[in-house]
Amino acid sequence: MKYSRIIGTGSYLPDRIVTNAELETWVDTNDAWIVERTGIHARHLAAEGEGTCDMALQAAKRALEMAACSAQDLDLIILATTTPDQIYPSTACLLQSRLDNHGAPAFDVQAVCSGFLYAFSIADKFIKTGAAKRALVVGAETYSRILNWQDRNTCVLFGDGAGAVVLEASDEPGVLSTHIHAEGSFNHLLYVPGTVAQGQIQNGDGFTKMHGQEVFKFAISALSSVVEEALVTNQLDKSKIDWLVPHQANIRIINATAKKLKLPMEKVIVTVTEQGNTSAASVPLALDAGVRDGRIQRGQTLILEAIGGGFTWGAALVKY
Ligand code: ACO
């Protein structure tokens, strides 16, 4: 088996939709500013008591159903999240229990908004080396719980949700290559400072802090370079890309990557407008949207990319 191949996708968004107009009543912001700077019109927020595992479970069930695969057939479960339900066990283990899977390795990956690309890359390598045959890869976030809803610099940007894929070993392509990177010296530009110790949050608070302009500049250059790296590795011309499935942080960052690839926006899956930035869930949510509405077809070539706190970033070139 030379490749891992996507055999199912699924996603879940909480029912509650918060529009920019509603946000205007919470914090000093306005619809025109948010739309012009980010492209975001609305985001979904988890209900009280609804957690990351709850959303992951719904996305996973939908991906398994599309894959016509039972949870008991999974031999690897990786869940990317920045907002685990508990310090431990991992949300992947909580999900495994609710899926009634027994014995498969299950673990979380923490790479903030690049988490899904990291998890996807790890699962691909497990499958390519023969260590796993069928893997569930999930990105799930209750990002709303690490936002200060009085901080207009951050709270307008994010939302909650989950996305999942099932990967299976295959002789047919498949995931062509994955590329992940980190530059920890930028840890001060996008972070949540708090640490839990002695039963309390220490060293600051549990809310997201961001230097937006620095993140913006780094994102554009890192995403351009990692997309180029994926193309060069596969000796593939950018004209062969059918779909860009980008991390959904900001429409201006997405536009810049599409421009670099010379892809018209009709060839880009965009969900940021209605979902905001769902961190590790954003790429699999976008992928599932494109698959389920029929835009993404079997045999097409996709490029997935993301950037997040760390900084971390990554891309995957995929024959769907
Ligand atoms: N509503 C109204 N005004 C606002 C808001 C808001 N929500 N937020 C900031 N402003 C004001 C600022 O106070 C500032 O006012 P001033 O000029 O009077 O001081 C003005 O708008 C401009 O602020 P900037 O920060 O310079 O705005 P910018 O054009 O850089 O846009 C933004 C900000 C949208 C955050 C942009 O920098 C961006 O998208 N950065 C990347 C963010 C990102 O992608 N983060 C996620 C990474 S993934 C992860 O790992 C979580």
Side-chain angles (χ1 to χ4, degrees), residues 249-305:
N250 183 315
I251 195 70
R252 292 186 291 147
I253 297 175
I254 295 174
N255 285 339
T257 313
K259 202 168 160 196
K260 174 91 186 167
L261 284 167
K262 295 201 166 68
L263 270 183
M265 285 308 280
E266 298 78 56
K267 289 290 183 184
V268 183
I269 308 290
V270 175
T271 55
V272 67
T273 47
E274 303 308 317
Q275 298 176 11
N277 179 351
T278 55
S279 188
S282 106
V283 171
L285 268 161
L287 177 64
D288 189 49
V291 167
R292 284 186 190 259
D293 68 18
R295 279 177 290 172
I296 296 177
Q297 296 282 324
R298 284 285 170 205
Q300 290 187 324
T301 304
L302 323 179
I303 187 132
L304 282 48
E305 46 85 330

Short mmCIF file of all heavy atoms in Angstrom, two decimals, residues 249-305:
data_model
loop_
_atom_site.label_atom_id
_atom_site.label_comp_id
_atom_site.label_asym_id
_atom_site.label_seq_id
_atom_site.Cartn_x
_atom_site.Cartn_y
_atom_site.Cartn_z
N ALA A 249 -8.97 31.79 8.13
CA ALA A 249 -8.70 32.80 9.17
C ALA A 249 -9.22 34.16 8.74
O ALA A 249 -9.76 34.91 9.54
CB ALA A 249 -7.22 32.88 9.47
N ASN A 250 -9.02 34.48 7.46
CA ASN A 250 -9.28 35.84 7.00
C ASN A 250 -9.35 35.78 5.47
O ASN A 250 -8.44 35.23 4.84
CB ASN A 250 -8.12 36.72 7.47
CG ASN A 250 -8.33 38.18 7.12
OD1 ASN A 250 -8.71 38.50 6.00
ND2 ASN A 250 -8.08 39.05 8.07
N ILE A 251 -10.36 36.35 4.87
CA ILE A 251 -10.53 36.26 3.41
C ILE A 251 -9.35 36.90 2.69
O ILE A 251 -8.97 36.47 1.59
CB ILE A 251 -11.88 36.88 2.95
CG1 ILE A 251 -12.22 36.47 1.53
CG2 ILE A 251 -11.89 38.39 3.08
CD1 ILE A 251 -12.59 35.04 1.35
N ARG A 252 -8.71 37.89 3.32
CA ARG A 252 -7.59 38.55 2.63
C ARG A 252 -6.37 37.63 2.56
O ARG A 252 -5.61 37.65 1.59
CB ARG A 252 -7.24 39.87 3.34
CG ARG A 252 -8.34 40.92 3.18
CD ARG A 252 -7.92 42.25 3.75
NE ARG A 252 -7.81 42.22 5.20
CZ ARG A 252 -6.94 42.92 5.91
NH1 ARG A 252 -6.08 43.73 5.32
NH2 ARG A 252 -6.92 42.85 7.22
N ILE A 253 -6.17 36.80 3.61
CA ILE A 253 -5.06 35.83 3.59
C ILE A 253 -5.37 34.76 2.53
O ILE A 253 -4.51 34.34 1.76
CB ILE A 253 -4.86 35.20 4.99
CG1 ILE A 253 -4.46 36.28 6.01
CG2 ILE A 253 -3.80 34.09 4.93
CD1 ILE A 253 -4.36 35.78 7.46
N ILE A 254 -6.64 34.32 2.47
CA ILE A 254 -7.04 33.30 1.47
C ILE A 254 -6.85 33.86 0.06
O ILE A 254 -6.29 33.19 -0.82
CB ILE A 254 -8.52 32.89 1.72
CG1 ILE A 254 -8.65 32.19 3.08
CG2 ILE A 254 -9.01 31.97 0.60
CD1 ILE A 254 -10.09 31.86 3.49
N ASN A 255 -7.26 35.10 -0.16
CA ASN A 255 -7.10 35.72 -1.49
C ASN A 255 -5.64 35.74 -1.91
O ASN A 255 -5.32 35.47 -3.07
CB ASN A 255 -7.59 37.18 -1.47
CG ASN A 255 -9.11 37.27 -1.47
OD1 ASN A 255 -9.78 36.33 -1.87
ND2 ASN A 255 -9.63 38.39 -1.00
N ALA A 256 -4.75 36.06 -0.95
CA ALA A 256 -3.32 36.17 -1.28
C ALA A 256 -2.76 34.81 -1.70
O ALA A 256 -1.97 34.73 -2.66
CB ALA A 256 -2.55 36.73 -0.08
N THR A 257 -3.17 33.73 -1.02
CA THR A 257 -2.65 32.40 -1.39
C THR A 257 -3.22 31.98 -2.75
O THR A 257 -2.50 31.41 -3.58
CB THR A 257 -3.02 31.34 -0.32
OG1 THR A 257 -2.71 31.87 0.96
CG2 THR A 257 -2.26 30.04 -0.53
N ALA A 258 -4.50 32.28 -2.98
CA ALA A 258 -5.11 31.94 -4.28
C ALA A 258 -4.40 32.68 -5.41
O ALA A 258 -4.12 32.10 -6.46
CB ALA A 258 -6.60 32.29 -4.25
N LYS A 259 -4.06 33.93 -5.16
CA LYS A 259 -3.38 34.74 -6.18
C LYS A 259 -2.02 34.13 -6.52
O LYS A 259 -1.63 34.02 -7.67
CB LYS A 259 -3.21 36.16 -5.63
CG LYS A 259 -3.03 37.19 -6.70
CD LYS A 259 -3.15 38.58 -6.11
CE LYS A 259 -2.50 39.58 -7.05
NZ LYS A 259 -2.25 40.85 -6.41
N LYS A 260 -1.31 33.72 -5.47
CA LYS A 260 0.01 33.10 -5.65
C LYS A 260 -0.11 31.85 -6.53
O LYS A 260 0.76 31.55 -7.34
CB LYS A 260 0.53 32.75 -4.24
CG LYS A 260 1.80 31.99 -4.20
CD LYS A 260 2.99 32.90 -4.14
CE LYS A 260 4.26 32.08 -4.23
NZ LYS A 260 5.43 32.86 -4.49
N LEU A 261 -1.20 31.10 -6.33
CA LEU A 261 -1.42 29.87 -7.10
C LEU A 261 -2.07 30.16 -8.46
O LEU A 261 -2.33 29.23 -9.23
CB LEU A 261 -2.32 28.90 -6.31
CG LEU A 261 -1.67 28.14 -5.17
CD1 LEU A 261 -2.73 27.48 -4.29
CD2 LEU A 261 -0.71 27.10 -5.70
N LYS A 262 -2.36 31.44 -8.72
CA LYS A 262 -3.09 31.87 -9.94
C LYS A 262 -4.43 31.14 -10.06
O LYS A 262 -4.86 30.77 -11.15
CB LYS A 262 -2.24 31.65 -11.19
CG LYS A 262 -0.98 32.50 -11.25
CD LYS A 262 -0.49 32.61 -12.69
CE LYS A 262 0.52 33.70 -12.91
NZ LYS A 262 1.82 33.48 -12.29
N LEU A 263 -5.06 30.88 -8.93
CA LEU A 263 -6.36 30.21 -8.91
C LEU A 263 -7.46 31.27 -8.78
O LEU A 263 -7.39 32.13 -7.90
CB LEU A 263 -6.48 29.29 -7.70
CG LEU A 263 -6.04 27.84 -7.80
CD1 LEU A 263 -6.33 27.15 -6.47
CD2 LEU A 263 -6.72 27.10 -8.93
N PRO A 264 -8.49 31.22 -9.65
CA PRO A 264 -9.62 32.14 -9.43
C PRO A 264 -10.35 31.74 -8.16
O PRO A 264 -10.30 30.57 -7.76
CB PRO A 264 -10.51 31.89 -10.66
CG PRO A 264 -10.14 30.51 -11.13
CD PRO A 264 -8.71 30.28 -10.74
N MET A 265 -11.04 32.68 -7.54
CA MET A 265 -11.70 32.40 -6.26
C MET A 265 -12.80 31.34 -6.41
O MET A 265 -13.19 30.71 -5.43
CB MET A 265 -12.26 33.67 -5.62
CG MET A 265 -11.20 34.56 -5.01
SD MET A 265 -10.09 33.70 -3.84
CE MET A 265 -11.10 33.64 -2.36
N GLU A 266 -13.26 31.08 -7.64
CA GLU A 266 -14.25 30.00 -7.84
C GLU A 266 -13.64 28.63 -7.56
O GLU A 266 -14.35 27.64 -7.46
CB GLU A 266 -14.77 29.98 -9.29
CG GLU A 266 -15.50 31.21 -9.75
CD GLU A 266 -14.55 32.34 -10.10
OE1 GLU A 266 -13.67 32.16 -10.95
OE2 GLU A 266 -14.68 33.42 -9.48
N LYS A 267 -12.30 28.56 -7.50
CA LYS A 267 -11.61 27.29 -7.25
C LYS A 267 -11.10 27.21 -5.80
O LYS A 267 -10.19 26.43 -5.48
CB LYS A 267 -10.42 27.15 -8.21
CG LYS A 267 -10.89 26.90 -9.64
CD LYS A 267 -11.48 25.51 -9.72
CE LYS A 267 -11.92 25.10 -11.11
NZ LYS A 267 -12.57 23.77 -11.06
N VAL A 268 -11.65 28.05 -4.96
CA VAL A 268 -11.24 28.09 -3.55
C VAL A 268 -12.47 27.81 -2.69
O VAL A 268 -13.53 28.40 -2.91
CB VAL A 268 -10.66 29.47 -3.18
CG1 VAL A 268 -10.17 29.48 -1.74
CG2 VAL A 268 -9.53 29.86 -4.13
N ILE A 269 -12.34 26.89 -1.73
CA ILE A 269 -13.46 26.62 -0.83
C ILE A 269 -13.39 27.66 0.30
O ILE A 269 -12.40 27.71 1.05
CB ILE A 269 -13.39 25.20 -0.24
CG1 ILE A 269 -13.23 24.13 -1.34
CG2 ILE A 269 -14.63 24.94 0.64
CD1 ILE A 269 -14.43 23.89 -2.23
N VAL A 270 -14.43 28.47 0.39
CA VAL A 270 -14.47 29.56 1.38
C VAL A 270 -15.63 29.33 2.34
O VAL A 270 -16.78 29.24 1.91
CB VAL A 270 -14.60 30.93 0.69
CG1 VAL A 270 -14.77 32.04 1.72
CG2 VAL A 270 -13.40 31.21 -0.20
N THR A 271 -15.33 29.20 3.61
CA THR A 271 -16.38 29.07 4.64
C THR A 271 -16.23 30.15 5.71
O THR A 271 -17.10 30.28 6.56
CB THR A 271 -16.31 27.69 5.33
OG1 THR A 271 -14.99 27.53 5.85
CG2 THR A 271 -16.62 26.55 4.37
N VAL A 272 -15.11 30.90 5.65
CA VAL A 272 -14.83 31.89 6.69
C VAL A 272 -15.97 32.90 6.82
O VAL A 272 -16.26 33.40 7.90
CB VAL A 272 -13.47 32.60 6.43
CG1 VAL A 272 -13.49 33.48 5.19
CG2 VAL A 272 -13.02 33.39 7.65
N THR A 273 -16.65 33.18 5.71
CA THR A 273 -17.70 34.18 5.70
C THR A 273 -18.82 33.84 6.69
O THR A 273 -19.34 34.72 7.36
CB THR A 273 -18.31 34.28 4.28
OG1 THR A 273 -18.54 32.95 3.81
CG2 THR A 273 -17.38 34.98 3.32
N GLU A 274 -19.16 32.56 6.78
CA GLU A 274 -20.27 32.14 7.64
C GLU A 274 -19.83 31.42 8.91
O GLU A 274 -20.65 31.12 9.77
CB GLU A 274 -21.24 31.23 6.86
CG GLU A 274 -21.78 31.85 5.60
CD GLU A 274 -22.41 33.23 5.83
OE1 GLU A 274 -23.14 33.38 6.83
OE2 GLU A 274 -22.13 34.15 5.04
N GLN A 275 -18.53 31.08 9.03
CA GLN A 275 -18.07 30.28 10.17
C GLN A 275 -16.98 30.97 10.99
O GLN A 275 -16.67 30.51 12.09
CB GLN A 275 -17.52 28.93 9.69
CG GLN A 275 -18.56 28.07 8.99
CD GLN A 275 -18.00 26.78 8.41
OE1 GLN A 275 -16.85 26.40 8.70
NE2 GLN A 275 -18.78 26.09 7.62
N GLY A 276 -16.37 32.02 10.45
CA GLY A 276 -15.20 32.59 11.12
C GLY A 276 -14.07 31.58 11.12
O GLY A 276 -14.07 30.60 10.36
N ASN A 277 -13.10 31.82 11.99
CA ASN A 277 -11.93 30.94 12.11
C ASN A 277 -12.22 29.90 13.19
O ASN A 277 -12.30 30.24 14.37
CB ASN A 277 -10.72 31.81 12.47
CG ASN A 277 -9.45 31.00 12.65
OD1 ASN A 277 -9.47 29.77 12.67
ND2 ASN A 277 -8.34 31.71 12.80
N THR A 278 -12.37 28.64 12.77
CA THR A 278 -12.64 27.58 13.74
C THR A 278 -11.37 26.82 14.09
O THR A 278 -11.43 25.65 14.51
CB THR A 278 -13.71 26.61 13.21
OG1 THR A 278 -13.28 26.11 11.94
CG2 THR A 278 -15.07 27.28 13.04
N SER A 279 -10.21 27.46 13.91
CA SER A 279 -8.91 26.91 14.30
C SER A 279 -8.70 25.52 13.68
O SER A 279 -8.84 25.38 12.47
CB SER A 279 -8.82 26.93 15.84
OG SER A 279 -7.53 26.59 16.26
N ALA A 280 -8.41 24.50 14.48
CA ALA A 280 -8.08 23.18 13.92
C ALA A 280 -9.24 22.56 13.14
O ALA A 280 -9.02 21.62 12.37
CB ALA A 280 -7.66 22.24 15.03
N ALA A 281 -10.45 23.06 13.33
CA ALA A 281 -11.60 22.49 12.61
C ALA A 281 -11.78 23.09 11.23
O ALA A 281 -12.55 22.57 10.42
CB ALA A 281 -12.87 22.68 13.44
N SER A 282 -11.07 24.19 10.93
CA SER A 282 -11.44 24.96 9.74
C SER A 282 -11.17 24.24 8.44
O SER A 282 -12.01 24.25 7.53
CB SER A 282 -10.81 26.35 9.80
OG SER A 282 -9.75 26.51 8.94
N VAL A 283 -10.02 23.57 8.29
CA VAL A 283 -9.72 22.88 7.02
C VAL A 283 -10.67 21.69 6.79
O VAL A 283 -11.25 21.58 5.71
CB VAL A 283 -8.23 22.49 6.95
CG1 VAL A 283 -7.96 21.58 5.75
CG2 VAL A 283 -7.35 23.73 6.87
N PRO A 284 -10.87 20.79 7.78
CA PRO A 284 -11.80 19.69 7.50
C PRO A 284 -13.26 20.15 7.34
O PRO A 284 -14.02 19.51 6.62
CB PRO A 284 -11.63 18.75 8.70
CG PRO A 284 -11.07 19.59 9.80
CD PRO A 284 -10.21 20.61 9.10
N LEU A 285 -13.63 21.26 7.98
CA LEU A 285 -14.99 21.81 7.75
C LEU A 285 -15.12 22.28 6.30
O LEU A 285 -16.13 22.02 5.63
CB LEU A 285 -15.25 22.99 8.69
CG LEU A 285 -15.92 22.67 10.03
CD1 LEU A 285 -15.71 23.80 11.04
CD2 LEU A 285 -17.42 22.45 9.84
N ALA A 286 -14.09 22.96 5.79
CA ALA A 286 -14.13 23.45 4.41
C ALA A 286 -14.10 22.28 3.43
O ALA A 286 -14.83 22.26 2.43
CB ALA A 286 -12.96 24.40 4.16
N LEU A 287 -13.26 21.29 3.72
CA LEU A 287 -13.16 20.11 2.85
C LEU A 287 -14.52 19.41 2.75
O LEU A 287 -15.00 19.08 1.65
CB LEU A 287 -12.09 19.16 3.41
CG LEU A 287 -11.89 17.84 2.66
CD1 LEU A 287 -11.37 18.10 1.24
CD2 LEU A 287 -10.90 16.95 3.42
N ASP A 288 -15.15 19.21 3.88
CA ASP A 288 -16.44 18.52 3.89
C ASP A 288 -17.51 19.33 3.14
O ASP A 288 -18.34 18.75 2.43
CB ASP A 288 -16.88 18.27 5.34
CG ASP A 288 -18.10 17.36 5.41
OD1 ASP A 288 -18.09 16.30 4.74
OD2 ASP A 288 -19.06 17.70 6.11
N ALA A 289 -17.45 20.65 3.28
CA ALA A 289 -18.42 21.50 2.55
C ALA A 289 -18.26 21.28 1.05
O ALA A 289 -19.24 21.09 0.33
CB ALA A 289 -18.22 22.97 2.92
N GLY A 290 -17.01 21.29 0.57
CA GLY A 290 -16.74 21.13 -0.86
C GLY A 290 -17.11 19.76 -1.38
O GLY A 290 -17.60 19.61 -2.51
N VAL A 291 -16.88 18.73 -0.56
CA VAL A 291 -17.21 17.35 -0.96
C VAL A 291 -18.73 17.18 -1.00
O VAL A 291 -19.29 16.67 -1.96
CB VAL A 291 -16.56 16.34 0.02
CG1 VAL A 291 -17.13 14.94 -0.17
CG2 VAL A 291 -15.03 16.33 -0.16
N ARG A 292 -19.40 17.63 0.06
CA ARG A 292 -20.84 17.35 0.16
C ARG A 292 -21.69 18.16 -0.83
O ARG A 292 -22.75 17.69 -1.24
CB ARG A 292 -21.34 17.59 1.58
CG ARG A 292 -20.90 16.43 2.45
CD ARG A 292 -21.42 16.46 3.83
NE ARG A 292 -20.74 15.43 4.60
CZ ARG A 292 -21.27 14.23 4.90
NH1 ARG A 292 -22.47 13.93 4.53
NH2 ARG A 292 -20.55 13.35 5.58
N ASP A 293 -21.20 19.34 -1.23
CA ASP A 293 -22.03 20.07 -2.22
C ASP A 293 -21.60 19.74 -3.65
O ASP A 293 -22.09 20.35 -4.61
CB ASP A 293 -22.04 21.58 -1.94
CG ASP A 293 -20.69 22.25 -2.16
OD1 ASP A 293 -19.83 21.67 -2.85
OD2 ASP A 293 -20.51 23.37 -1.66
N GLY A 294 -20.68 18.77 -3.80
CA GLY A 294 -20.36 18.25 -5.13
C GLY A 294 -19.30 19.01 -5.90
O GLY A 294 -18.97 18.65 -7.03
N ARG A 295 -18.76 20.08 -5.30
CA ARG A 295 -17.71 20.80 -6.04
C ARG A 295 -16.45 19.94 -6.14
O ARG A 295 -15.84 19.81 -7.20
CB ARG A 295 -17.37 22.12 -5.32
CG ARG A 295 -18.36 23.23 -5.63
CD ARG A 295 -18.04 24.49 -4.87
NE ARG A 295 -18.29 24.35 -3.43
CZ ARG A 295 -17.96 25.25 -2.51
NH1 ARG A 295 -17.33 26.35 -2.86
NH2 ARG A 295 -18.24 25.06 -1.23
N ILE A 296 -16.04 19.32 -5.05
CA ILE A 296 -14.83 18.48 -5.05
C ILE A 296 -15.23 17.08 -5.53
O ILE A 296 -16.11 16.45 -4.95
CB ILE A 296 -14.20 18.43 -3.65
CG1 ILE A 296 -13.72 19.84 -3.25
CG2 ILE A 296 -13.05 17.43 -3.62
CD1 ILE A 296 -13.14 19.94 -1.85
N GLN A 297 -14.58 16.64 -6.61
CA GLN A 297 -14.91 15.36 -7.24
C GLN A 297 -13.73 14.40 -7.14
O GLN A 297 -12.58 14.84 -7.10
CB GLN A 297 -15.20 15.57 -8.72
CG GLN A 297 -16.41 16.45 -9.01
CD GLN A 297 -17.73 15.70 -8.83
OE1 GLN A 297 -17.81 14.52 -9.14
NE2 GLN A 297 -18.73 16.38 -8.31
N ARG A 298 -14.03 13.11 -7.15
CA ARG A 298 -12.98 12.08 -7.15
C ARG A 298 -12.00 12.31 -8.30
O ARG A 298 -12.42 12.66 -9.40
CB ARG A 298 -13.62 10.68 -7.29
CG ARG A 298 -14.26 10.19 -6.00
CD ARG A 298 -13.19 9.76 -5.00
NE ARG A 298 -13.75 9.50 -3.68
CZ ARG A 298 -13.03 9.58 -2.55
NH1 ARG A 298 -11.79 9.98 -2.55
NH2 ARG A 298 -13.58 9.28 -1.41
N GLY A 299 -10.72 12.11 -8.02
CA GLY A 299 -9.68 12.26 -9.05
C GLY A 299 -9.11 13.67 -9.13
O GLY A 299 -8.10 13.89 -9.79
N GLN A 300 -9.76 14.63 -8.46
CA GLN A 300 -9.24 16.01 -8.52
C GLN A 300 -8.08 16.21 -7.55
O GLN A 300 -7.90 15.45 -6.60
CB GLN A 300 -10.37 16.99 -8.19
CG GLN A 300 -11.42 17.06 -9.31
CD GLN A 300 -12.44 18.15 -9.06
OE1 GLN A 300 -12.84 18.40 -7.92
NE2 GLN A 300 -12.90 18.78 -10.12
N THR A 301 -7.29 17.24 -7.84
CA THR A 301 -6.11 17.53 -7.02
C THR A 301 -6.40 18.72 -6.11
O THR A 301 -6.82 19.78 -6.58
CB THR A 301 -4.89 17.83 -7.93
OG1 THR A 301 -4.72 16.71 -8.78
CG2 THR A 301 -3.63 18.04 -7.12
N LEU A 302 -6.18 18.50 -4.81
CA LEU A 302 -6.49 19.53 -3.81
C LEU A 302 -5.21 19.95 -3.10
O LEU A 302 -4.33 19.12 -2.86
CB LEU A 302 -7.43 18.99 -2.73
CG LEU A 302 -8.54 18.01 -3.09
CD1 LEU A 302 -9.30 17.60 -1.83
CD2 LEU A 302 -9.46 18.63 -4.11
N ILE A 303 -5.15 21.21 -2.73
CA ILE A 303 -4.10 21.62 -1.80
C ILE A 303 -4.76 22.16 -0.54
O ILE A 303 -5.64 23.02 -0.59
CB ILE A 303 -3.09 22.60 -2.44
CG1 ILE A 303 -1.95 22.84 -1.47
CG2 ILE A 303 -3.70 23.89 -2.91
CD1 ILE A 303 -0.60 22.73 -2.06
N LEU A 304 -4.38 21.57 0.59
CA LEU A 304 -4.87 21.98 1.90
C LEU A 304 -3.74 22.77 2.56
O LEU A 304 -2.56 22.38 2.41
CB LEU A 304 -5.17 20.75 2.77
CG LEU A 304 -6.46 19.93 2.57
CD1 LEU A 304 -6.74 19.59 1.12
CD2 LEU A 304 -6.41 18.66 3.40
N GLU A 305 -4.06 23.85 3.26
CA GLU A 305 -3.00 24.58 3.98
C GLU A 305 -3.55 25.25 5.23
O GLU A 305 -4.76 25.51 5.31
CB GLU A 305 -2.29 25.59 3.06
CG GLU A 305 -3.21 26.47 2.20
CD GLU A 305 -3.74 27.72 2.86
OE1 GLU A 305 -3.91 27.73 4.09
OE2 GLU A 305 -4.04 28.69 2.15
#
